[in-house]
Amino acid sequence: MRSFSRARVVLATTAVALTAIVAACSSPPPPPPPVVQAPPPPPPITLSSQVIERASAFRGYMARAAAISPTFQNGDQIQVSLKVGAAYEPKSLMNGAVAYAAVMALQDPTFVASVREVAAHPAQRQEMINNIFSNPSYATVFKGADSAAGLIIDQLGGDGLKVYVAGKAVKQAAYDVQRSSWSKSSVSDRDARLASAKTLSTAPALAESADVAVLQQASLGGQTLGLTPRAAPAPYQPVVIRGLAVAALAALGAAGDNNLTSIDALSVDPATGSCLNMAKLNLYQCLAVSKPHYEDIFCLGQHILMDTGACMAKAAGAALPPEPPPPPKIETTVKTKAKKVVRKSTTKKS
């Protein structure tokens, strides 16, 4: 009887043990570790279509102005060239210069990659966007900013120098052409010619669709224009800094059409705007007193091409070539006439 009781105890104990083992084997597994959410991808590089059109319009005007030939054969050729050269509105040209500078900066792969590293972190990205809008110089802290600035200076400054050099050749033609008797004839309908220059100065230059497509592709980053960056040491001119700022905002995804108002405010450089406005005022005064054709050539060479080219070259930080003193005859005559016009205008106002 006792052995039977012991056997029952052993069996019961064994059953309890087996039940515990089975229960342990059937318990649920530990919960999996929490899933770490991957950060959202950075926004794409975005540059407003209107900014790209401004860049194209700027590039187109500078190319047309630089192509003005000094080989005039008659007064009609001079008037055509005057219309080509006068066809820009100062504020639009300045905004176009900044837009073009931004596209140039986006051609620098090191600069773009450095900005895109910040774009990958949402908090840092927004902080940098705010910093650049409040102070464009923040764009110069990125790696590659010096070589992106070099691209701007070389391209924007180079275009300005081409227009300036073309102006020197045209200005020299004002003296050389006096060997031809037709150049001493009076310009017909002088008032209409001055009015035309003023009207052309109020309309922004237009972009060409084919060129817009090229710059649109270039604005996405990458060296699609085949340019070679070179490091340019600071300090930089305001147009260069503003071009870097717009490019950085584009690489941060913050320069699209919905950001256009802020980009417009960022693209204003008072010094360049004042320089271009002064070139226009000097042109109007020059045309107001110019009578023979050769004096119109002087107005074209000096106040449209040389003055405008110098404004843009200086805006980029490019050095102007030294200029020898010109023959005094036309310049003295035109400037003396212009001063008389200014005096008469001042007297009437008083």
Side-chain angles (χ1 to χ4, degrees):
M1 229 23 211
R2 286 182 184 173
S3 18
F4 179 72
S5 298
R6 286 178 185 169
R8 288 181 65 185
V9 170
V10 171
L11 288 173
T13 304
T14 303
V16 170
L18 289 173
T19 301
I21 293 172
V22 171
C25 292
S26 61
S27 62
V35 177
V36 178
Q37 291 286 343
I45 299 173
T46 307
L47 188 60
S48 168
S49 57
Q50 292 189 48
V51 173
I52 295 171
E53 288 175 5
R54 292 171 189 171
S56 175
F58 170 83
R59 187 161 83 153
Y61 170 80
M62 297 298 282
R64 290 189 297 274
I68 291 177
S69 171
T71 57
F72 299 106
Q73 302 296 321
N74 53 59
D76 289 342
Q77 289 180 345
I78 300 169
Q79 297 311 309
V80 169
S81 294
L82 276 171
K83 290 178 179 178
V84 171
Y88 75 83
E89 191 274 320
K91 183 179 178 182
S92 296
L93 193 70
M94 176 191 62
N95 289 341
V98 174
Y100 187 56
V103 175
M104 294 302 101
L106 288 169
Q107 290 293 282
D108 189 296
T110 303
F111 178 72
V112 172
S114 178
V115 178
R116 296 293 285 168
E117 287 181 8
V118 175
H121 305 281
Q124 293 181 24
R125 170 181 171 271
Q126 190 57 54
E127 181 181 6
M128 181 54 70
I129 290 171
N130 295 338
N131 288 339
I132 292 174
F133 275 128
S134 63
N135 183 359
S137 295
Y138 270 96
T140 64
V141 305
F142 291 104
K143 183 179 180 182
D146 56 347
S147 51
L151 280 175
I152 296 172
I153 294 169
D154 289 348
Q155 300 305 310
L156 185 62
D159 287 347
L161 289 174
K162 288 176 184 176
V163 174
Y164 180 84
V165 170
K168 289 184 70 174
V170 170
K171 182 178 176 180
Q172 181 59 44
Y175 305 101
D176 299 338
V177 78
Q178 292 180 65
R179 300 187 186 98
S180 302
S181 58
W182 67 264
S183 70
K184 301 174 185 178
S185 301
S186 295
V187 175
S188 61
D189 205 354
R190 294 171 52 243
D191 291 342
R193 155 182 120 310
L194 175 58
S196 174
K198 291 182 177 180
T199 300
L200 289 167
S201 299
T202 62
L206 299 177
E208 296 183 6
S209 56
D211 192 51
V212 169
V214 171
L215 295 184
Q216 175 71 61
Q217 184 63 33
S219 72
L220 300 176
Q223 296 173 290
T224 57
L225 297 180
L227 305 177
T228 303
R230 66 155 184 99
Y236 306 122
Q237 293 298 314
V239 166
V240 177
I241 293 174
R242 294 176 186 278
L244 289 171
V246 175
L249 289 168
L252 291 167
D257 290 334
N258 58 328
N259 304 106
L260 190 58
T261 301
S262 298
I263 296 298
D264 287 347
L266 197 66
S267 300
V268 175
D269 174 33
T272 300
S274 177
C275 184
L276 293 170
N277 282 323
M278 185 57 66
K280 288 290 188 178
L281 290 175
N282 287 334
L283 171 65
Y284 303 153
Q285 290 181 6
C286 189
L287 292 177
V289 300
S290 172
K291 293 182 179 179
H293 291 300
Y294 66 81
E295 288 186 350
D296 265 14
I297 298 175
F298 173 85
C299 297
L300 169 63
Q302 178 64 61
H303 298 304
I304 291 182
L305 299 178
M306 289 184 68
D307 288 358
T308 301
C311 287
M312 300 321 306
K314 290 176 181 177
L320 294 175
E323 183 185 6
K329 184 178 177 183
I330 304 175
E331 188 165 14
T332 302
T333 302
V334 175
K335 285 185 176 180
T336 301
K337 290 179 182 178
K339 287 178 181 177
K340 289 180 180 178
V341 170
V342 173
R343 289 196 195 101
K344 286 181 181 179
S345 175
T346 306
T347 303
K348 288 180 181 179
K349 290 179 181 179
S350 60

